[in-house]
PDB file of all heavy atoms in Angstrom:
ATOM      1  N   GLY A   1     129.257 103.869 168.398  1.00 95.00           N
ATOM      2  CA  GLY A   1     128.305 104.840 167.851  1.00 95.00           C
ATOM      3  C   GLY A   1     127.871 105.910 168.834  1.00 95.00           C
ATOM      4  O   GLY A   1     127.252 106.901 168.442  1.00 95.00           O
ATOM      5  N   GLY A   2     128.151 105.717 170.124  1.00 95.00           N
ATOM      6  CA  GLY A   2     127.810 106.740 171.116  1.00 95.00           C
ATOM      7  C   GLY A   2     126.366 106.735 171.572  1.00 95.00           C
ATOM      8  O   GLY A   2     125.927 107.655 172.259  1.00 95.00           O
ATOM      9  N   GLY A   3     125.598 105.719 171.179  1.00 95.00           N
ATOM     10  CA  GLY A   3     124.214 105.638 171.627  1.00 95.00           C
ATOM     11  C   GLY A   3     123.247 106.423 170.757  1.00 95.00           C
ATOM     12  O   GLY A   3     123.595 106.930 169.692  1.00 95.00           O
ATOM     13  N   ILE A   4     122.030 106.543 171.239  1.00 96.00           N
ATOM     14  CA  ILE A   4     120.948 107.155 170.454  1.00 96.00           C
ATOM     15  C   ILE A   4     120.962 108.672 170.614  1.00 96.00           C
ATOM     16  O   ILE A   4     121.189 109.197 171.710  1.00 96.00           O
ATOM     17  CB  ILE A   4     119.581 106.592 170.895  1.00 96.00           C
ATOM     18  CG1 ILE A   4     119.634 105.050 170.936  1.00 96.00           C
ATOM     19  CG2 ILE A   4     118.480 107.060 169.951  1.00 96.00           C
ATOM     20  CD1 ILE A   4     120.072 104.400 169.654  1.00 96.00           C
ATOM     21  N   LYS A   5     120.704 109.358 169.531  1.00 94.00           N
ATOM     22  CA  LYS A   5     120.704 110.834 169.530  1.00 94.00           C
ATOM     23  C   LYS A   5     119.597 111.398 170.422  1.00 94.00           C
ATOM     24  O   LYS A   5     118.533 110.805 170.571  1.00 94.00           O
ATOM     25  CB  LYS A   5     120.505 111.357 168.099  1.00 94.00           C
ATOM     26  CG  LYS A   5     121.681 111.120 167.175  1.00 94.00           C
ATOM     27  CD  LYS A   5     121.362 111.528 165.766  1.00 94.00           C
ATOM     28  CE  LYS A   5     121.207 113.018 165.624  1.00 94.00           C
ATOM     29  NZ  LYS A   5     121.029 113.421 164.216  1.00 94.00           N
ATOM     30  N   ASP A   6     119.891 112.573 171.006  1.00 91.00           N
ATOM     31  CA  ASP A   6     118.909 113.364 171.766  1.00 91.00           C
ATOM     32  C   ASP A   6     118.314 112.607 172.950  1.00 91.00           C
ATOM     33  O   ASP A   6     117.193 112.911 173.390  1.00 91.00           O
ATOM     34  CB  ASP A   6     117.775 113.847 170.842  1.00 91.00           C
ATOM     35  CG  ASP A   6     118.294 114.647 169.648  1.00 91.00           C
ATOM     36  OD1 ASP A   6     119.253 115.422 169.849  1.00 91.00           O
ATOM     37  OD2 ASP A   6     117.757 114.487 168.544  1.00 91.00           O
ATOM     38  N   GLY A   7     119.032 111.618 173.460  1.00 92.00           N
ATOM     39  CA  GLY A   7     118.572 110.897 174.635  1.00 92.00           C
ATOM     40  C   GLY A   7     117.336 110.044 174.410  1.00 92.00           C
ATOM     41  O   GLY A   7     116.677 109.638 175.370  1.00 92.00           O
ATOM     42  N   LYS A   8     117.025 109.747 173.160  1.00 94.00           N
ATOM     43  CA  LYS A   8     115.840 108.935 172.848  1.00 94.00           C
ATOM     44  C   LYS A   8     116.103 107.464 173.174  1.00 94.00           C
ATOM     45  O   LYS A   8     117.241 107.044 173.394  1.00 94.00           O
ATOM     46  CB  LYS A   8     115.470 109.076 171.374  1.00 94.00           C
ATOM     47  CG  LYS A   8     115.113 110.491 170.942  1.00 94.00           C
ATOM     48  CD  LYS A   8     113.680 110.824 171.274  1.00 94.00           C
ATOM     49  CE  LYS A   8     113.280 112.165 170.683  1.00 94.00           C
ATOM     50  NZ  LYS A   8     111.871 112.483 170.920  1.00 94.00           N
ATOM     51  N   LYS A   9     115.054 106.670 173.167  1.00 96.00           N
ATOM     52  CA  LYS A   9     115.156 105.249 173.479  1.00 96.00           C
ATOM     53  C   LYS A   9     115.407 104.452 172.196  1.00 96.00           C
ATOM     54  O   LYS A   9     114.767 104.682 171.172  1.00 96.00           O
ATOM     55  CB  LYS A   9     113.867 104.775 174.152  1.00 96.00           C
ATOM     56  CG  LYS A   9     113.934 103.359 174.712  1.00 96.00           C
ATOM     57  CD  LYS A   9     112.628 103.028 175.439  1.00 96.00           C
ATOM     58  CE  LYS A   9     112.696 101.648 176.087  1.00 96.00           C
ATOM     59  NZ  LYS A   9     112.903 100.554 175.132  1.00 96.00           N
ATOM     60  N   PHE A  10     116.338 103.508 172.266  1.00 96.00           N
ATOM     61  CA  PHE A  10     116.605 102.625 171.136  1.00 96.00           C
ATOM     62  C   PHE A  10     115.376 101.770 170.844  1.00 96.00           C
ATOM     63  O   PHE A  10     114.720 101.273 171.759  1.00 96.00           O
ATOM     64  CB  PHE A  10     117.800 101.720 171.452  1.00 96.00           C
ATOM     65  CG  PHE A  10     118.036 100.635 170.429  1.00 96.00           C
ATOM     66  CD1 PHE A  10     118.802 100.879 169.306  1.00 96.00           C
ATOM     67  CD2 PHE A  10     117.473  99.369 170.583  1.00 96.00           C
ATOM     68  CE1 PHE A  10     119.016  99.879 168.355  1.00 96.00           C
ATOM     69  CE2 PHE A  10     117.671  98.369 169.639  1.00 96.00           C
ATOM     70  CZ  PHE A  10     118.452  98.628 168.531  1.00 96.00           C
ATOM     71  N   LYS A  11     115.079 101.588 169.552  1.00 96.00           N
ATOM     72  CA  LYS A  11     113.943 100.760 169.177  1.00 96.00           C
ATOM     73  C   LYS A  11     114.354  99.560 168.336  1.00 96.00           C
ATOM     74  O   LYS A  11     113.948  98.431 168.600  1.00 96.00           O
ATOM     75  CB  LYS A  11     112.907 101.584 168.416  1.00 96.00           C
ATOM     76  CG  LYS A  11     111.594 100.836 168.197  1.00 96.00           C
ATOM     77  CD  LYS A  11     110.517 101.794 167.691  1.00 96.00           C
ATOM     78  CE  LYS A  11     109.139 101.194 167.751  1.00 96.00           C
ATOM     79  NZ  LYS A  11     108.104 102.149 167.321  1.00 96.00           N
ATOM     80  N   ALA A  12     115.150  99.795 167.307  1.00 95.00           N
ATOM     81  CA  ALA A  12     115.559  98.693 166.422  1.00 95.00           C
ATOM     82  C   ALA A  12     116.764  99.115 165.600  1.00 95.00           C
ATOM     83  O   ALA A  12     117.064 100.298 165.473  1.00 95.00           O
ATOM     84  CB  ALA A  12     114.404  98.293 165.496  1.00 95.00           C
ATOM     85  N   VAL A  13     117.455  98.124 165.055  1.00 95.00           N
ATOM     86  CA  VAL A  13     118.527  98.386 164.097  1.00 95.00           C
ATOM     87  C   VAL A  13     118.290  97.478 162.898  1.00 95.00           C
ATOM     88  O   VAL A  13     117.958  96.306 163.050  1.00 95.00           O
ATOM     89  CB  VAL A  13     119.930  98.150 164.706  1.00 95.00           C
ATOM     90  CG1 VAL A  13     120.079  96.720 165.231  1.00 95.00           C
ATOM     91  CG2 VAL A  13     121.023  98.458 163.680  1.00 95.00           C
ATOM     92  N   GLN A  14     118.417  98.059 161.732  1.00 92.00           N
ATOM     93  CA  GLN A  14     118.218  97.299 160.506  1.00 92.00           C
ATOM     94  C   GLN A  14     119.573  97.027 159.874  1.00 92.00           C
ATOM     95  O   GLN A  14     120.336  97.954 159.604  1.00 92.00           O
ATOM     96  CB  GLN A  14     117.317  98.065 159.536  1.00 92.00           C
ATOM     97  CG  GLN A  14     116.701  97.166 158.487  1.00 92.00           C
ATOM     98  CD  GLN A  14     117.092  97.534 157.076  1.00 92.00           C
ATOM     99  OE1 GLN A  14     118.075  98.244 156.881  1.00 92.00           O
ATOM    100  NE2 GLN A  14     116.362  97.062 156.100  1.00 92.00           N
ATOM    101  N   THR A  15     119.920  95.750 159.697  1.00 91.00           N
ATOM    102  CA  THR A  15     121.192  95.383 159.080  1.00 91.00           C
ATOM    103  C   THR A  15     120.934  94.790 157.702  1.00 91.00           C
ATOM    104  O   THR A  15     119.880  94.216 157.453  1.00 91.00           O
ATOM    105  CB  THR A  15     121.959  94.352 159.933  1.00 91.00           C
ATOM    106  OG1 THR A  15     121.216  93.126 159.960  1.00 91.00           O
ATOM    107  CG2 THR A  15     122.161  94.846 161.353  1.00 91.00           C
ATOM    108  N   GLY A  16     121.890  94.958 156.808  1.00 86.00           N
ATOM    109  CA  GLY A  16     121.782  94.307 155.508  1.00 86.00           C
ATOM    110  C   GLY A  16     121.079  95.095 154.426  1.00 86.00           C
ATOM    111  O   GLY A  16     120.701  94.533 153.402  1.00 86.00           O
ATOM    112  N   GLY A  17     120.874  96.388 154.640  1.00 82.00           N
ATOM    113  CA  GLY A  17     120.250  97.192 153.601  1.00 82.00           C
ATOM    114  C   GLY A  17     118.756  96.924 153.462  1.00 82.00           C
ATOM    115  O   GLY A  17     118.131  96.379 154.368  1.00 82.00           O
ATOM    116  N   PRO A  18     118.168  97.277 152.317  1.00 85.00           N
ATOM    117  CA  PRO A  18     116.717  97.127 152.120  1.00 85.00           C
ATOM    118  C   PRO A  18     116.247  95.682 152.242  1.00 85.00           C
ATOM    119  O   PRO A  18     115.068  95.429 152.469  1.00 85.00           O
ATOM    120  CB  PRO A  18     116.489  97.637 150.691  1.00 85.00           C
ATOM    121  CG  PRO A  18     117.696  98.437 150.365  1.00 85.00           C
ATOM    122  CD  PRO A  18     118.832  97.853 151.137  1.00 85.00           C
ATOM    123  N   SER A  19     117.178  94.734 152.096  1.00 84.00           N
ATOM    124  CA  SER A  19     116.815  93.319 152.168  1.00 84.00           C
ATOM    125  C   SER A  19     117.068  92.724 153.547  1.00 84.00           C
ATOM    126  O   SER A  19     116.939  91.516 153.732  1.00 84.00           O
ATOM    127  CB  SER A  19     117.610  92.529 151.123  1.00 84.00           C
ATOM    128  OG  SER A  19     117.401  93.056 149.835  1.00 84.00           O
ATOM    129  N   GLY A  20     117.436  93.551 154.499  1.00 88.00           N
ATOM    130  CA  GLY A  20     117.747  93.056 155.836  1.00 88.00           C
ATOM    131  C   GLY A  20     116.551  93.085 156.762  1.00 88.00           C
ATOM    132  O   GLY A  20     115.466  93.535 156.399  1.00 88.00           O
ATOM    133  N   GLY A  21     116.775  92.609 157.983  1.00 90.00           N
ATOM    134  CA  GLY A  21     115.714  92.575 158.975  1.00 90.00           C
ATOM    135  C   GLY A  21     115.901  93.641 160.027  1.00 90.00           C
ATOM    136  O   GLY A  21     117.002  94.156 160.219  1.00 90.00           O
ATOM    137  N   CYS A  22     114.815  93.983 160.720  1.00 93.00           N
ATOM    138  CA  CYS A  22     114.850  94.964 161.802  1.00 93.00           C
ATOM    139  C   CYS A  22     114.972  94.221 163.130  1.00 93.00           C
ATOM    140  O   CYS A  22     114.101  93.418 163.482  1.00 93.00           O
ATOM    141  CB  CYS A  22     113.587  95.831 161.773  1.00 93.00           C
ATOM    142  SG  CYS A  22     113.456  96.833 160.269  1.00 93.00           S
ATOM    143  N   ILE A  23     116.042  94.491 163.863  1.00 94.00           N
ATOM    144  CA  ILE A  23     116.375  93.745 165.070  1.00 94.00           C
ATOM    145  C   ILE A  23     116.011  94.571 166.302  1.00 94.00           C
ATOM    146  O   ILE A  23     116.493  95.704 166.451  1.00 94.00           O
ATOM    147  CB  ILE A  23     117.879  93.401 165.087  1.00 94.00           C
ATOM    148  CG1 ILE A  23     118.253  92.609 163.825  1.00 94.00           C
ATOM    149  CG2 ILE A  23     118.248  92.626 166.340  1.00 94.00           C
ATOM    150  CD1 ILE A  23     119.748  92.473 163.595  1.00 94.00           C
ATOM    151  N   PRO A  24     115.182  94.042 167.224  1.00 95.00           N
ATOM    152  CA  PRO A  24     114.746  94.806 168.396  1.00 95.00           C
ATOM    153  C   PRO A  24     115.789  94.804 169.518  1.00 95.00           C
ATOM    154  O   PRO A  24     116.823  94.127 169.437  1.00 95.00           O
ATOM    155  CB  PRO A  24     113.479  94.077 168.827  1.00 95.00           C
ATOM    156  CG  PRO A  24     113.721  92.660 168.421  1.00 95.00           C
ATOM    157  CD  PRO A  24     114.527  92.713 167.151  1.00 95.00           C
ATOM    158  N   GLU A  25     115.478  95.543 170.583  1.00 94.00           N
ATOM    159  CA  GLU A  25     116.412  95.746 171.701  1.00 94.00           C
ATOM    160  C   GLU A  25     116.827  94.441 172.358  1.00 94.00           C
ATOM    161  O   GLU A  25     117.968  94.307 172.820  1.00 94.00           O
ATOM    162  CB  GLU A  25     115.763  96.669 172.733  1.00 94.00           C
ATOM    163  CG  GLU A  25     116.689  97.076 173.857  1.00 94.00           C
ATOM    164  CD  GLU A  25     116.053  98.093 174.792  1.00 94.00           C
ATOM    165  OE1 GLU A  25     114.820  98.225 174.793  1.00 94.00           O
ATOM    166  OE2 GLU A  25     116.812  98.753 175.522  1.00 94.00           O
ATOM    167  N   GLU A  26     115.954  93.465 172.423  1.00 94.00           N
ATOM    168  CA  GLU A  26     116.262  92.219 173.129  1.00 94.00           C
ATOM    169  C   GLU A  26     117.424  91.453 172.509  1.00 94.00           C
ATOM    170  O   GLU A  26     118.020  90.573 173.156  1.00 94.00           O
ATOM    171  CB  GLU A  26     115.022  91.319 173.178  1.00 94.00           C
ATOM    172  CG  GLU A  26     114.529  90.880 171.814  1.00 94.00           C
ATOM    173  CD  GLU A  26     113.182  90.163 171.866  1.00 94.00           C
ATOM    174  OE1 GLU A  26     113.156  88.956 172.172  1.00 94.00           O
ATOM    175  OE2 GLU A  26     112.161  90.842 171.603  1.00 94.00           O
TER     176      GLU A  26
END
């Protein structure tokens, strides 16, 4: 994916659509 846009810090990724969970950096 090339990392986060505009040099911002990653916070979370949500997998599984509206029913998925938000996964933090750790």
Side-chain angles (χ1 to χ4, degrees):
I4 311 305
K5 290 174 68 174
D6 304 322
K8 299 278 187 177
K9 189 176 184 299
F10 172 87
K11 190 169 193 177
V13 58
Q14 200 241 18
T15 66
S19 304
C22 296
I23 303 168
E25 186 175 19
E26 63 189 279

